[in-house]
Amino acid sequence: MGCWTTSCDFGHLKAHSKVSVFFTMILIFIYLFYCLTGYCDSMPSPLYVHQTFRSKLFLKEGKKLAHWNGSIVRELPEQDATDVEDEKRQRGLGYDTYNNLSVSNNFGTKEFPKAIIIGVKKGGTRALLEFLRVHPDVRAVGAEPHFFDRFYEKGLQWYRNLMPRTLDGQITMEKTPSYFITREAPSRIFSMSHSTKLIVVVRDPVTRAVSDYAQTLTKNSSLPSFQNLVFKNSTTGLIDTSWSAVRIGIYAKHLENWLRYFPLAQFLFVSGEKLVTDPAGEMGRVQDFLGLKRVVTNKHFYFNQTKGFPCLKKPEGSNRPRCLGKSKGRPHPHIPADVLHRLRDFYRPFNMKFFQMTGQDFGWD
């Protein structure tokens, strides 16, 4: 028996509608499945860590990479390489060091840093950053971006994209110790923001120079002796200020360059020595300077006798304390006492000027 054209068409349309609904439901199910497993950005998946095949290959080969938002930005030069814990933090997720919780980067916005640790190398900048990351209102880049000294031509948008996402009330931070001695860095940071807070971790320049030399020696065992590098002429005792290990410690000279752009009130000078002997005290000053509640206190620290510096106590949910990597606290080579004495004499007037400029006496002889 035939059927009326209208009723046949209605039957076909009804069947077609069921098929459409069926396929739509399948697509929705697949979409939700991928979102819940972390393959899309529409629905955050806090426990998923995306790692590309390329990053797995590099990590297998023992190379350290800078990761931001699941993408490899660049291979880190040796001096920028962070430890394994930092590597974990940078694979596309924020990471709360103390609470051991990963946080999806789909929350919050990327902002330029409100504060930058600008120096100095071998002063204690890594320790300061790790201690600060305990604070729930601090979000910081783990690896050193080196934007204002090496990658400025990439532009501010590239720089901001390196930053972790922050929520209201949180502050974005980064640290690159070489900024302090880079002549162009102050004007470049000033162009980004006039109100950026600047933190300088300083240490006895003589001890700092020896530590700098010790680090370089681990990378180049054929390096000349410290005394051969520190003097232009060993007979006259004239110090070679062209050697970076010496030049970095002339803090007053570098600070003069920064004060051309930023008022002293926007600087905080942290004692590298007190960061070891009284980490909670120095961290109190840092938190006050940043306008943060004093969350990081004595209860977070213990002194590691083997390493010779403080470590963070075992976070909840972690099976071990949080200490800096094996490259920190390395033994220093023996330097003749007369060499150290001459170097101390060289630094003394610069130290006095630095104390006067900052209004702080760091107690270096």
Side-chain angles (χ1 to χ4, degrees):
M1 179 184 291
C3 67
W4 296 101
T5 303
T6 303
S7 61
C8 286
D9 288 345
F10 178 76
H12 286 304
L13 286 172
K14 190 174 182 180
H16 179 73
S17 177
K18 288 182 178 179
V19 171
S20 297
V21 170
F22 176 72
F23 278 107
T24 301
M25 292 299 293
I26 289 176
L27 289 173
I28 292 173
F29 174 78
I30 292 172
Y31 175 76
L32 290 175
F33 173 78
Y34 271 78
C35 282
L36 289 170
T37 52
Y39 285 93
C40 72
D41 293 329
S42 299
M43 296 181 67
S45 177
L47 297 180
Y48 177 74
V49 180
H50 175 66
Q51 186 181 33
T52 63
F53 173 78
R54 182 169 176 266
S55 68
K56 290 179 181 178
L57 180 63
F58 271 84
L59 289 172
K60 187 176 180 181
E61 293 176 355
K63 296 181 180 179
K64 298 213 173 188
L65 307 174
H67 295 74
W68 284 277
N69 299 326
S71 301
I72 298 170
V73 177
R74 61 187 173 91
E75 183 177 346
L76 292 174
E78 188 174 1
Q79 61 269 31
D80 296 345
T82 54
D83 59 21
V84 174
E85 292 301 319
D86 280 327
E87 197 66 38
K88 290 178 182 177
R89 293 189 195 96
Q90 294 166 33
R91 294 178 192 166
L93 293 175
Y95 192 87
D96 185 308
T97 305
Y98 196 73
N99 293 318
N100 199 28
L101 297 174
S102 55
V103 182
S104 171
N105 266 344
N106 291 298
F107 296 109
T109 58
K110 295 190 174 206
E111 306 287 347
F112 289 122
K114 290 183 173 63
I116 304 176
I117 301 172
I118 59 173
V120 297
K121 180 184 178 184
K122 307 308 296 179
T125 58
R126 170 56 58 183
L128 176 60
L129 185 69
E130 291 306 311
F131 297 164
L132 271 172
R133 292 171 84 177
V134 171
H135 202 294
D137 291 334
V138 172
R139 300 283 288 123
V141 180
E144 297 169 7
H146 282 282
F147 175 67
F148 295 105
D149 59 350
R150 298 182 191 170
F151 301 108
Y152 192 67
E153 73 283 353
K154 291 183 179 291
L156 284 168
Q157 187 59 40
W158 179 88
Y159 179 59
R160 183 163 61 181
N161 194 48
L162 303 184
M163 299 299 119
R165 294 181 183 270
T166 51
L167 303 173
D168 288 342
Q170 293 182 320
I171 64 170
T172 304
M173 291 189 67
E174 71 117 315
K175 79 107 176 170
T176 304
S178 52
Y179 289 164
F180 189 60
I181 63 168
T182 300
R183 187 162 188 82
E184 300 81 12
S187 61
R188 290 171 175 177
I189 293 176
F190 187 78
S191 296
M192 176 189 72
S193 171
H194 297 4
S195 61
T196 307
K197 293 185 177 182
L198 306 165
I199 300 177
V200 189
V201 188
V202 289
R203 181 185 184 188
D204 182 334
V206 175
T207 309
R208 198 222 65 83
V210 176
S211 181
D212 197 336
Y213 173 77
Q215 182 184 54
T216 308
L217 194 62
T218 62
K219 302 171 186 178
N220 181 10
S221 59
S222 62
L223 198 67
S225 68
F226 183 88
Q227 47 267 43
N228 285 343
L229 292 170
V230 79
F231 295 124
K232 281 186 177 180
N233 186 309
S234 58
T235 304
T236 61
L238 187 64
I239 302 295
D240 188 356
T241 57
S242 67
W243 185 31
S244 64
V246 170
R247 189 174 68 253
I248 291 172
I250 309 175
Y251 303 139
K253 178 181 177 182
H254 304 304
L255 182 57
E256 283 176 347
N257 186 37
W258 285 87
L259 291 177
R260 292 170 55 206
Y261 297 90
F262 295 95
L264 192 63
Q266 280 177 236
F267 292 84
L268 179 69
F269 301 94
V270 176
S271 166
E273 288 83 10
K274 286 185 179 178
L275 208 54
V276 173
T277 60
D278 181 21
E282 283 300 280
M283 288 306 300
R285 294 180 60 242
V286 174
Q287 290 168 98
D288 291 347
F289 174 71
L290 295 174
L292 298 170
K293 182 180 178 181
R294 287 197 175 195
V295 171
V296 186
T297 61
N298 266 320
K299 68 181 181 181
H300 291 95
F301 301 101
Y302 79 96
F303 191 80
N304 187 308
Q305 296 291 345
T306 304
K307 288 181 173 290
F309 54 76
C311 296
L312 293 169
K313 290 181 180 177
K314 185 172 72 172
E316 184 179 346
S318 174
N319 60 0
R320 64 185 180 87
R322 173 79 177 110
C323 281
L324 298 180
K326 62 182 180 181
S327 65
K328 307 300 180 182
R330 62 167 61 91
H332 289 180
H334 172 72
I335 310 296
D338 65 309
V339 174
L340 296 178
H341 180 73
R342 288 186 185 185
L343 188 57
R344 201 164 295 282
D345 286 344
F346 165 79
Y347 277 124
R348 189 169 290 110
F350 295 108
N351 290 344
M352 294 302 106
K353 185 176 181 181
F354 183 68
F355 296 168
Q356 185 181 46
M357 292 171 73
T358 61
Q360 284 181 246
D361 185 343
F362 291 89
W364 309 322
D365 179 22

